[in-house]
Amino acid sequence: MEEYLQELKHAQDSGLARYIGVSNFTVAQMKQAIEILGEGVLYTNQVEVHPYLQNAQVVDFCKQNEMIVTGYMPFAYGDVLKDGSIKHIAEKHGATPAQVVLAWMAKSGFVTIPSSTKKANIESNLGYVDVVLNDEDMTTIANLDRGHRLANPDFAPEWTRFSFLIATVYVKNVRYSPDVFS
């Protein structure tokens, strides 16, 4: 990890990248990365986050170290959109379940980019900014956490100990993977 992260830092110092982000880093890996790079260098950790997997240990560590959490799979392949509690909150606010989930993500301090192949859904999702969740709504959604990880290939980590390394560098708004720098 040390060589890899130092190369990413060199790319940043050379003006090739504004930020350094990592993906699927556990707390132990983030600690190791901070030891290598210093505090305040890692910009984001992209991890699976949705109402059924709130990833509290990783999220808390990121927040303590001023790292943005970029949450992927916010709808859990659509599972959370069918949840009775999410649907109830949506009805109460005159919103869609997707808008409720995105409002929860935003109020929780996460950055997310939900995927959709339908223009109407993409446009509708933007309505999340008009959904104001109250403390009761946030507590209801917090109580949905069941540790339900969906991105869990056979090479995936033991999330309590270590993780696989995927770092991403954005150069002039273009995403590059590590092999670009080898």
Side-chain angles (χ1 to χ4, degrees):
M1 181 191 295
E2 184 168 351
E3 179 182 353
Y4 183 78
L5 288 175
Q6 287 175 347
E7 288 297 321
L8 291 173
K9 181 68 172 120
H10 176 71
Q12 183 183 39
D13 292 343
S14 299
L16 296 173
R18 287 188 206 166
Y19 305 108
I20 298 173
V22 295
S23 181
N24 298 310
F25 266 39
T26 62
V27 170
Q29 286 178 308
M30 287 186 286
K31 285 179 181 178
Q32 184 180 0
I34 290 169
E35 286 177 18
I36 294 166
L37 296 172
E39 292 184 14
V41 177
L42 290 179
Y43 186 72
T44 187
N45 186 11
Q46 182 180 356
V47 295
E48 181 180 351
V49 176
H50 47 75
Y52 291 170
L53 178 68
Q54 296 176 27
N55 227 334
Q57 287 180 316
V58 169
V59 167
D60 291 344
F61 186 86
C62 286
K63 287 181 179 179
Q64 291 166 9
N65 288 276
E66 298 180 10
M67 226 181 296
I68 294 170
V69 173
T70 302
Y72 63 81
M73 295 174 56
F75 304 140
Y77 293 134
D79 291 349
V80 297
L81 303 180
K82 301 171 198 163
D83 185 272
S85 296
I86 297 288
K87 289 168 112 178
H88 173 75
I89 294 168
E91 289 171 16
K92 181 171 85 170
H93 290 282
T96 68
Q99 290 169 340
V100 167
V101 171
L102 294 174
W104 169 78
M105 297 282 289
K107 189 165 184 173
S108 298
F110 305 133
V111 172
T112 191
I113 303 171
S115 64
S116 180
T117 57
K118 296 182 176 137
K119 183 180 178 183
N121 288 346
I122 294 168
E123 290 172 351
S124 175
N125 288 347
L126 295 174
Y128 85 90
V129 298
D130 298 321
V131 178
V132 180
L133 301 176
N134 61 32
D135 291 343
E136 180 183 346
D137 298 330
M138 294 298 287
T139 299
T140 298
I141 296 171
N143 289 332
L144 296 177
D145 191 0
R146 52 188 75 155
H148 184 62
R149 185 173 308 283
L150 296 169
N152 201 19
D154 60 359
F155 60 86
E158 288 270 341
W159 274 90
T160 56
R161 293 186 295 147
F162 58 92
S163 181
F164 54 98
L165 171 68
I166 301 173
T168 304
V169 174
Y170 290 87
V171 179
K172 297 185 181 177
N173 297 322
V174 177
R175 181 176 183 216
Y176 292 92
S177 295
D179 55 284
V180 170
F181 299 104
S182 51

